[in-house]
């Protein structure tokens, strides 16, 4: 517990739980159990209780991120490097909006085609792998993204999210627009939000960097990878929808 509150920038080498290690797999299993539990619970609730659960998830995402930002601010790290401007940070903002505007047709499909794949990738290739398995930021990583996955899957499994191919391209255009805005911010202020300019040694992003050669080509390759993954997940979810949910 000595390093429970320690940020990854201040952790000694060799303290991490490692990529796809036993401890990482245990976190993945716990996240899956949590997601399944939320999806099952959601399916048993009345409409009003479902709305309460959705809004509770949205509120929890914001609260635990505020706690994280306070801890980062009080740590010996560069606070501006860790502003909540990552892709899954936007997922939390959109989830809050979606939970407030239940029945809207703006956010649900976008959550399914863009933010759910991002959250899944975030727990498969966590940025906290250099930290101990029992560390605040590790717990935050899996709880935060687990909540995003649980929110979207609960609505999807209960047929509350439409899934159309035009919606896929709507999501792609939105992610390109968002990435463009964040890339401009990254360039002007020399930052790396949404990993658009650097991999931060993430194993998956390192592959894209090596394939593209880095620089602006890496940014383009990352966007192309996101577009491909959106299509892959669309195909998976469409098959689930056709074979299981109907």
């Amino acid at each position: 517990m000595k390093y429970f509150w320690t940020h990854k920038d201040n952790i000694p080498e060799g303290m991490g739980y490692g990529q796809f290690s036993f401890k990482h797999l245990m976190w993945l299993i716990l996240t899956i159990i949590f997601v399944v539990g939320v999806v099952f619970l959601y399916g048993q609730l009345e409409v009003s209780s479902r709305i309460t659960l959705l809004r509770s998830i949205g509120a929890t995402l914001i609260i635990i991120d505020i706690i994280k930002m306070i801890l980062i601010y009080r740590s010996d790290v560069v606070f501006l490097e860790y502003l909540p401007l990552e892709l899954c940070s936007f997922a939390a903002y959109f989830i809050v909006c979606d939970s407030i505007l239940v029945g809207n047709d703006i956010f649900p499909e976008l959550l399914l085609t863009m933010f759910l794949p991002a959250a899944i990738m975030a727990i498969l290739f966590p940025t906290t792998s250099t930290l101990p398995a029992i560390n605040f930021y590790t717990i935050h990583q899996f709880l935060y993204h687990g909540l995003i996955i649980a929110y979207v899957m609960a609505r999807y499994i209960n047929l509350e999210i439409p899934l159309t191919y035009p919606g896929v391209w709507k999501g792609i255009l939105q992610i390109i627009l968002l990435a463009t805005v964040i890339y401009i911010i990254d360039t002007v202020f020399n930052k790396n939000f949404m990993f658009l300019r650097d991999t931060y040694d993430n194993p998956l992003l390192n592959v894209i960097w090596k394939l593209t050669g880095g620089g602006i080509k890496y940014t383009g390759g990352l966007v192309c990878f996101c577009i491909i993954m959106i299509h892959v997940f669309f195909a998976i979810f469409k098959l689930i929808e056709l074979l299981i949910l109907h």
Side-chain angles (χ1 to χ4, degrees):
M1 298 298 289
K2 177 181 178 181
Y3 297 106
F4 183 81
W5 301 106
T6 306
H7 190 272
K8 65 179 181 179
D9 288 358
N10 299 325
I11 204 77
E13 290 187 13
M15 298 298 298
Y17 58 83
Q19 185 76 44
F20 294 120
S21 64
F22 175 78
K23 292 178 180 179
H24 182 199
L25 293 177
M26 287 300 99
W27 270 116
L28 289 175
I29 291 171
L30 287 173
T31 304
I32 292 170
I33 293 172
F34 172 74
V35 170
V36 171
V38 172
V39 172
F40 177 79
L41 173 63
Y42 188 80
Q44 306 305 307
L45 297 176
E46 301 292 333
V47 174
S48 59
S49 297
R50 285 185 176 187
I51 294 173
T52 299
L53 178 58
L54 294 178
R55 291 175 178 173
S56 297
I57 291 175
T60 302
L61 284 167
I62 299 301
I63 290 169
I64 62 176
D65 223 23
I66 289 173
I67 294 172
K68 174 187 172 184
M69 296 311 298
I70 291 173
L71 288 173
I72 291 176
Y73 182 76
R74 294 172 63 87
S75 301
D76 185 23
V77 298
V78 182
F79 178 73
L80 293 180
E81 296 289 338
Y82 297 99
L83 294 177
L85 294 176
E86 305 298 345
L87 189 58
C88 288
S89 299
F90 288 102
Y93 309 148
F94 282 24
I95 281 174
V96 170
C97 294
D98 182 69
S99 66
I100 293 173
L101 304 172
V102 174
N104 75 90
D105 59 358
I106 302 173
F107 302 108
E109 197 166 8
L110 182 63
L111 291 171
L112 182 64
T113 58
M114 183 168 74
F115 292 119
L116 179 62
I120 292 173
M121 289 297 174
I123 63 172
L124 289 177
F125 302 94
T127 57
T128 57
S129 60
T130 56
L131 287 167
I134 306 300
N135 172 279
F136 170 80
Y137 298 98
T138 300
I139 296 171
H140 179 281
Q141 171 118 41
F142 288 94
L143 176 60
Y144 189 85
H145 295 96
L147 284 166
I148 293 172
I149 296 169
Y151 183 100
V152 180
M153 288 303 296
R155 297 206 63 198
Y156 170 67
I157 293 296
N158 287 278
L159 304 177
E160 295 179 359
I161 299 180
L163 187 59
T164 64
Y165 193 61
V168 168
W169 280 101
K170 176 184 175 183
I172 289 172
L173 292 175
Q174 289 169 322
I175 187 62
I176 290 175
L177 176 61
L178 178 60
T180 300
V181 173
I182 297 300
Y183 185 80
I184 292 172
I185 294 174
D186 284 347
T187 303
V188 172
F189 296 100
N190 193 30
K191 303 300 179 185
N192 188 41
F193 300 119
M194 288 177 59
F195 301 96
L196 289 173
R197 300 177 69 210
D198 194 275
T199 69
Y200 279 161
D201 207 30
N202 180 283
L204 176 62
L205 301 183
N206 282 340
V207 173
I208 298 174
W209 182 279
K210 290 177 182 178
L211 289 174
T212 58
I216 189 65
K217 293 181 180 179
Y218 159 74
T219 305
L222 181 58
V223 172
C224 289
F225 174 77
C226 290
I227 292 173
I228 292 171
M229 290 310 300
I230 287 173
H231 277 83
V232 169
F233 276 90
F234 171 79
I236 293 172
F237 290 133
K238 204 63 181 177
L239 281 174
I240 293 173
E241 185 179 289
L242 293 174
L243 299 177
I244 300 175
L245 299 182
H246 287 299

